[in-house]
Amino acid sequence: MVKWFLTLLRVVLGWYFLYEGISKILLPGWTSKNYLMGSTWILSDLFHWLASFPVRVEVVDFLNVWGLILIGASLFVGLLVRWSSIFAAILLIFYFVAYPPIPGYTFGTVTEGSYLWVNKTLIEFFLLVLFIFLPAASTYGLDRLIAVWKEERARRPVPRVSQKGAAVDRRELLKDLISVPFIGAFAYAYYKKRRWSSFEEKYLSGKPDTVSSATIRSFTFTSLDNLKGCSPKGKIGNIGLSRLIIGGNLIGGWAHSRDLIYVSKLVKAYHTDEKVMMTLQLAEKCGIDTLLCNPQLARIINKYWRETKGKIQFLSDCGHKDGFLEGIRISQEAGAIAMYCQGEMADRLVRDGKLSEISDGVKLIRSYGKPAGIGAHRLETIKACVENGIRPDFWVKTLHHHNYWSAQPNAEWHDNIYCFEPQETIDYMNRLEEPWIAFKVLAAGAIDPKDGFKYAFDNGADFICVGMYDFQIVDDTNILLDTLSNVQRVRPWRG
């Protein structure tokens, strides 16, 4: 039974390697380049070097594909199992080192489970090490058949085989050819798989949205290879930050979804810690160096810094259930590089006549040596602060037009409009001297980025804060570069 089990284990491993190799040959445009470039652990410099020239990538692709096929075929039929196991173990070690199951080092890959130090690659490695040390007679296959043939030949140069002995030999031969039915099953399964793939290509090809290198790559996709450049930078006080700032609403699960009640839960389910860190790493590769979010996300930001050594900056809105001042203290402890009074909180404080709390908060932030800002959805909030002599180091104000179907400017507010007086906002903000971060420039996903980015920068914004999924970051960076190359501003750059 042990011999049969080991034979089945070897055949299953062979099937796995063989199909991996064949599928890569038949996948149009498959290359290991993005996989190599995404590695960040101890051999990342070597992998990046291999991916830096097309000739090297071609060599790696050839060795990877045909290595998988030959290893798979060898294990499948049980021929040269020891040598194929050695080469397979070496290959798996490279796979493991490229993307180890260590938090923060799996950027650019998709896993179907949760791993910590041990993943399926490491388990496969130890299984193959087992086959390196097993004698040929431990499993049924061509190695055993050859070994028996050599032994019989050496022992009985002139064999005399009885009828009973011949039957035994035939049974042993059939055992060593056990892989033959599996070859047929593999061929049939592969044929059916190709039939299914052809159906998908016929009816689905080209319809799904593009995805980035940080998510599953299917059909067409936008990867870092398509990146036109990195986000340009500006300054607020003594802090340099990218013109495109990644917003924290989608990461934190605060999704403005109009009347779609499930979206916030869906966003939270998508953004696991690992996905958030992968998203931030991708943003940094695109030159986006600042995350604007709530102090509640301080845990994941600090985890990102600690586990990936990433450098993305934390710009805090200081929103907290215990008020602006408490939000400031928590943000300071969390390592925020700048802080401001969150828009809804500032609107409420102004409405309730508590401008002194905003003023005290601005002073507290400056006492930490950090730039202090004031946010707002309502233009009246900005005006009230200016009229009362509260002048921050930067403003954070909503800006978008109303030319989208769900906008109803004259109706009751239904989470569908975030800048209530766009033209008045533009006219007033253009008179202010402080840098301006515009947010909700896409009206929470209702406006195309090409339109929203241009509207914001043409009308005076110095920076824009945009919530982005990982599969949008490369495209949004390219749109930013195209927009800034043809910007038509009236207001001078203030940041």
Side-chain angles (χ1 to χ4, degrees), residues 11-32:
V11 170
V12 169
L13 286 170
W15 184 307
Y16 176 73
F17 276 85
L18 184 60
Y19 184 73
E20 280 281 349
I22 293 176
S23 64
K24 287 174 172 54
I25 287 182
L26 298 177
L27 182 65
W30 179 86
T31 177
S32 61

Side-chain angles (χ1 to χ4, degrees), residues 15-195:
W15 184 307
Y16 176 73
F17 276 85
L18 184 60
Y19 184 73
E20 280 281 349
I22 293 176
S23 64
K24 287 174 172 54
I25 287 182
L26 298 177
L27 182 65
W30 179 86
T31 177
S32 61
K33 181 175 181 179
N34 290 328
Y35 183 87
L36 294 169
M37 289 300 295
S39 177
T40 58
W41 204 37
I42 54 177
L43 293 183
S44 59
D45 289 342
L46 171 62
F47 296 135
H48 295 170
W49 178 81
L50 290 171
S52 59
F53 288 97
V55 174
R56 295 175 192 160
V57 174
E58 289 178 7
V59 172
V60 172
D61 289 350
F62 179 86
L63 293 175
N64 194 54
V65 169
W66 286 103
L68 289 170
I69 290 174
L70 294 175
I71 289 168
S74 170
L75 294 172
F76 210 92
V77 300
L79 179 64
L80 301 176
V81 171
R82 178 165 294 165
W83 285 105
S84 61
S85 298
I86 291 172
F87 289 124
I90 293 172
L91 191 62
L92 289 173
I93 281 295
F94 278 109
Y95 289 163
F96 182 85
V97 171
Y99 291 91
I102 304 171
Y105 288 102
T106 52
F107 165 71
T109 190
V110 179
T111 58
E112 70 277 24
S114 300
Y115 301 126
L116 182 63
W117 286 105
V118 176
N119 59 7
K120 67 176 185 179
T121 304
L122 192 62
I123 295 170
E124 291 164 3
F125 168 79
F126 283 111
L127 288 175
L128 288 160
V129 170
L130 172 67
F131 284 103
I132 293 174
F133 294 102
L134 284 177
S138 299
T139 64
Y140 296 112
L142 296 185
D143 279 345
R144 179 180 177 276
L145 183 63
I146 293 170
V148 170
W149 176 74
K150 287 182 177 179
E151 183 180 347
E152 288 294 323
R153 185 179 180 186
R155 190 171 64 240
R156 295 190 298 172
V158 184
R160 291 179 295 175
V161 182
S162 65
Q163 192 68 24
K164 182 179 178 181
V168 172
D169 288 343
R170 281 196 296 269
R171 285 199 296 270
E172 292 300 311
L173 176 63
L174 290 174
K175 290 178 182 179
D176 291 323
L177 296 178
I178 188 63
S179 298
V180 173
F182 285 102
I183 294 174
F186 178 86
Y188 177 75
Y190 181 74
Y191 167 74
K192 295 292 289 184
K193 173 69 176 176
R194 291 298 296 169
R195 286 284 303 274

Side-chain angles (χ1 to χ4, degrees), residues 60 347 356 414 460:
V60 172
D347 291 340
S356 60
H414 289 295

